[in-house]
């Protein structure tokens, strides 16, 4: 097997746990039609794709979310929405950090590839150098679109067989594997062994 040169990790649910619960609570408390909001699935029923693809800025995203949740939009609402979204970020998984350090010691570069909420960029960016941070809203694509993996390979000047990709969503891993990337479905209890197996 060709030598692994890059380890690419998803962010939410792989680097740290992420929950929309604080945002859901905020919107529920502020909603002027809570029954309709709940009937649509709460904030989980909202379409985040335009924001994650960079098609709308944060202010527009907040307006769209407020409209969906029947919350009165104002500049204060933007601040409260941002705070609620940040409150959903948990502590870094020690298992992921250990695996990243192990890979670094084996001369494997660490990268992040995320279907990212732009206002949360700083929550994991310190884990990698900026050139190894690949974000959906900068690429204009979302996993599991095959093109997003191809773009990352082009930017890294890497062949698929030189890359390990770790994500919690099976469909994202399957898409990466379909073009020859070594995929791992994240489980913090098995990630260390999975990585070892890929390096053999």
């Amino acid at each position: 097997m060709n030598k692994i040169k890059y380890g690419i990790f998803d962010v939410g649910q792989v680097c740290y746990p992420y929950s929309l619960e604080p945002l859901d609570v905020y919107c529920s408390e502020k909603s002027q039609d809570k029954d309709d909001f709940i009937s649509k699935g709460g904030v989980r029923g909202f379409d985040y794709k335009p924001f994650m693809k960079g098609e709308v800025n944060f202010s527009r995203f907040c307006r769209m979310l407020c409209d969906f949740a029947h919350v009165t939009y104002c500049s204060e609402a933007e601040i409260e929405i941002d705070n609620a979204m940040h409150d959903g970020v948990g502590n870094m998984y020690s298992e992921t950090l250990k695996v990243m350090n192990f890979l670094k010691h084996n001369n494997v570069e660490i990268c992040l590839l995320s279907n990212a909420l732009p206002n949360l960029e700083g929550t994991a960016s310190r884990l990698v150098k900026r050139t190894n941070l690949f974000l959906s809203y900068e690429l204009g694509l979302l996993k599991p679109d095959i093109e997003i993996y191809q773009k990352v390979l082009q930017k890294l000047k890497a062949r698929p067989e030189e890359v390990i990709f770790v994500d919690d969503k099976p469909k994202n891993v399957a898409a990466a594997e379909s073009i020859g990337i070594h995929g791992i479905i994240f489980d913090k209890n098995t990630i260390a062994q999975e990585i070892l197996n890929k390096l053999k």
Side-chain angles (χ1 to χ4, degrees):
M1 185 177 79
N2 286 285
K3 186 179 186 305
I4 299 297
K5 294 182 179 179
Y6 298 96
I8 303 179
F9 291 76
D10 182 32
V11 178
Q13 317 305 352
V14 173
C15 291
Y16 55 66
Y18 186 71
S19 173
L20 288 169
E21 186 62 25
L23 182 61
D24 197 58
V25 170
Y26 167 78
C27 289
S28 293
E29 290 176 348
K30 298 287 186 178
S31 179
Q32 296 172 357
D33 190 344
K34 189 172 181 179
D35 289 342
D36 181 68
F37 174 61
I38 291 173
S39 75
K40 292 186 291 189
V43 294
R44 290 162 190 81
F46 180 71
D47 183 10
Y48 297 86
K49 290 180 181 178
F51 187 43
M52 293 191 295
K53 288 179 72 174
E55 295 171 351
V56 299
N57 63 21
F58 185 65
S59 290
R60 178 62 182 151
F61 161 75
C62 289
R63 288 179 183 273
M64 292 166 65
L65 178 62
C66 285
D67 182 60
F68 175 86
H70 307 288
V71 172
T72 301
Y73 172 81
C74 61
S75 57
E76 183 179 340
E78 286 194 21
I79 296 169
E80 292 171 342
I81 287 170
D82 186 53
N83 288 339
M85 292 173 75
H86 277 85
D87 287 345
V89 177
N91 295 324
M92 291 285 175
Y93 286 128
S94 61
E95 295 86 353
T96 301
L97 294 177
K98 286 176 184 176
V99 163
M100 287 180 171
N101 285 330
F102 172 77
L103 288 172
K104 288 177 187 176
H105 287 307
N106 282 273
N107 300 311
V108 176
E109 280 197 55
I110 303 302
C111 307
L112 299 179
L113 172 59
S114 178
N115 285 353
L117 296 163
N119 59 314
L120 299 182
E121 177 182 335
T123 59
S125 59
R126 66 183 180 277
L127 295 175
V128 298
K129 59 185 181 182
R130 189 62 181 84
T131 53
N132 286 2
L133 180 61
F134 303 104
L135 304 166
S136 57
Y137 57 88
E138 292 181 347
L139 297 171
L141 295 160
L142 293 171
K143 296 174 291 182
D145 188 329
I146 297 298
E147 190 179 349
I148 197 169
Y149 305 98
Q150 294 171 330
K151 278 200 171 185
V152 170
L153 291 176
Q154 290 170 4
K155 288 177 179 293
L156 292 173
K157 296 180 173 59
R159 298 191 300 273
E161 61 270 21
E162 296 173 330
V163 175
I164 294 173
F165 174 66
V166 182
D167 197 294
D168 65 301
K169 294 180 176 60
K171 64 182 180 180
N172 293 345
V173 173
E177 289 177 330
S178 75
I179 61 169
I181 293 171
H182 301 282
I184 297 175
I185 299 172
F186 179 75
D187 180 329
K188 64 181 180 179
N189 297 312
T190 60
I191 185 61
Q193 187 58 53
E194 293 268 16
I195 290 290
L196 282 174
N197 292 342
K198 296 295 184 185
L199 292 180
K200 287 179 181 177

